[in-house]
Amino acid sequence: MKIYLNGKLVKKQDAKISVFDHGLLYGDGVFEGIRSYGCLVFKLKEHIDRLYCSAQAICLKMPITKEAMTKAIITTLKANKLSDAYIRVVVTRGEGDLGLDPRKCKSPSIFIIADKIVLYPKEFYQKGLSIVTVPTVRNIPEALNPQIKSLNYLNNILAKIEAINFNVEEALMLNKDGLVAECTGDNVFMLKNHTLITPPTAMGVLAGITRQSVLDLSPKLGLKTEEQLITRYDLFNADEVFLTGTAAEIIPVVSIDRRIIGRGKPGKFTLNLIKEFRKVTKIQGARYAL
Ligand code: PMP
């Protein structure tokens, strides 16, 4: 496996970062999770734009241009001969001292890992997922905005642990006002009377790229879309619920906090959206040749 590290492709065992890197010491950095399908990097421009917005929000000056970043990602995919991959792009504040001061970190570190995609078990898609609401609330935007895809994922990890403790794979996270925010690595959607509803990003939600794809696809399926506040009550009474994310794509939810959602199996519209989404993954993005 070849890893892109600060402008060079190095072997996995040589891809090393200093223990003084603030990405490691403080979670000071940003990242993206991207996918390629049959030699097409899905929505690459959107992912790169979000990465640069995350960096801007934490005052991290990106050391390379967006064009160079695009090239670096494609180069990494080619070097690993991957047509279908999961790509992790990480930009850390760089090496500093033991203090917080980011001014001591002279140059950000960039690394890119491209690996085979590990798919969720088929069963999740066929039978649907059971999830629970967890006590850990999503970070409040005024403290650490969930729109920043930062290396500080402890909020999500704590929620994930709570879900695992309840024997389910995903956690539903509420914001500080008790409204539905998102899951630990996915956005949440509900369908009610042919309207697809998802919480607005201002609620403390990542502006998911899969989320936007679903919003864009919905009119094609005869669905209206709304970005609206959602409560647990709304989800319990939804016709269908599903989650969206780069890794999971679109995954049906059939039970929340032991309440059966809809008919307790993946809904018709969710299944149609999955089909339409699969088509989009074959056309929208940056192509490369191996
Ligand atoms: N919310 C969180 C907290 C996430 O980590 C992710 C995955 N990046 C998402 C939502 C889904 O975003 P996307 O569709 O861009 O992968």
Side-chain angles (χ1 to χ4, degrees):
M1 181 191 276
K2 291 278 172 58
I3 312 284
Y4 174 98
L5 178 62
N6 296 325
K8 289 194 190 109
L9 284 169
V10 298
K11 287 192 202 128
K12 183 178 170 181
Q13 60 267 34
D14 299 328
K16 292 187 179 142
I17 286 272
S18 163
V19 291
F20 284 91
D21 193 302
H22 281 206
L24 177 62
L25 286 176
Y26 297 116
D28 186 358
V30 293
F31 78 102
E32 276 298 317
I34 314 175
R35 242 172 115 161
S36 77
Y37 296 87
C39 291
L40 179 118
V41 190
F42 182 58
K43 304 252 179 187
L44 180 57
K45 181 184 179 306
E46 287 80 353
H47 280 284
I48 289 183
D49 285 347
R50 187 171 69 183
L51 179 70
Y52 280 67
C53 285
S54 293
Q56 170 73 5
I58 69 161
C59 299
L60 191 160
K61 196 174 174 320
M62 290 292 285
I64 62 173
T65 63
K66 289 185 181 180
E67 291 70 32
M69 181 61 84
T70 306
K71 251 191 173 166
I73 291 169
I74 304 274
T75 304
T76 311
L77 282 162
K78 285 184 165 187
N80 290 285
K81 298 191 171 54
L82 288 165
S83 57
D84 294 84
Y86 182 80
I87 306 141
R88 175 61 53 94
V89 183
V90 180
V91 187
T92 74
R93 186 76 65 182
E95 198 176 327
D97 63 17
L98 290 179
L100 286 178
D101 192 345
R103 290 171 302 184
K104 303 273 177 66
C105 306
K106 294 300 174 214
S107 58
S109 280
I110 301 180
F111 58 90
I112 304 170
I113 307 167
D115 203 352
K116 287 196 189 77
I117 172 92
V118 181
L119 297 173
Y120 285 110
K122 271 215 176 92
E123 198 188 311
F124 289 8
Y125 298 88
Q126 287 160 353
K127 292 190 181 156
L129 212 57
S130 292
I131 63 174
V132 291
T133 311
V134 294
T136 295
V137 299
R138 190 74 179 104
N139 280 334
I140 61 168
E142 296 80 358
L144 177 55
N145 195 329
Q147 282 189 252
I148 303 170
K149 209 165 160 53
S150 85
L151 292 181
N152 207 311
Y153 250 51
L154 204 49
N155 180 224
N156 314 52
I157 292 165
L158 290 174
K160 180 91 176 175
I161 290 168
E162 288 164 348
I164 293 165
N165 287 345
F166 279 97
N167 275 326
V168 298
E169 292 297 320
E170 249 303 3
L172 178 67
M173 301 183 77
L174 307 179
N175 69 8
K176 70 168 195 323
D177 299 318
L179 296 164
V180 171
E182 59 182 338
C183 288
T184 64
D186 296 305
N187 290 111
V188 181
F189 278 84
M190 61 168 271
L191 180 78
K192 185 77 181 175
N193 300 331
H194 295 89
T195 301
L196 209 47
I197 309 168
T198 195
T201 52
M203 284 298 102
V205 169
L206 183 78
I209 285 162
T210 322
R211 173 186 180 274
Q212 190 56 49
S213 301
V214 165
L215 290 172
D216 294 344
L217 271 174
S218 298
K220 212 178 158 188
L221 296 177
L223 300 173
K224 278 189 279 178
T225 60
E226 278 177 15
E227 292 182 51
Q228 208 189 85
L229 310 186
I230 300 178
T231 63
R232 283 169 74 228
Y233 172 88
D234 298 326
L235 288 184
F236 295 154
N237 289 289
D239 300 329
E240 299 182 22
V241 172
F242 60 85
L243 313 180
T244 64
T246 295
E249 300 178 319
I250 299 172
I251 196 154
V253 171
V254 292
S255 135
I256 305 175
D257 303 336
R258 294 271 171 104
R259 274 86 157 174
I260 299 293
I261 306 302
R263 295 185 174 175
K265 52 181 197 184
K268 186 177 89 183
F269 285 101
T270 307
L271 294 174
N272 280 342
L273 272 168
I274 292 174
K275 253 190 229 153
E276 290 301 321
F277 180 73
R278 292 259 155 81
K279 289 185 202 162
V280 169
T281 60
K282 294 190 173 74
I283 46 179
Q284 294 183 356
R287 282 190 198 284
Y288 58 98
L290 291 181

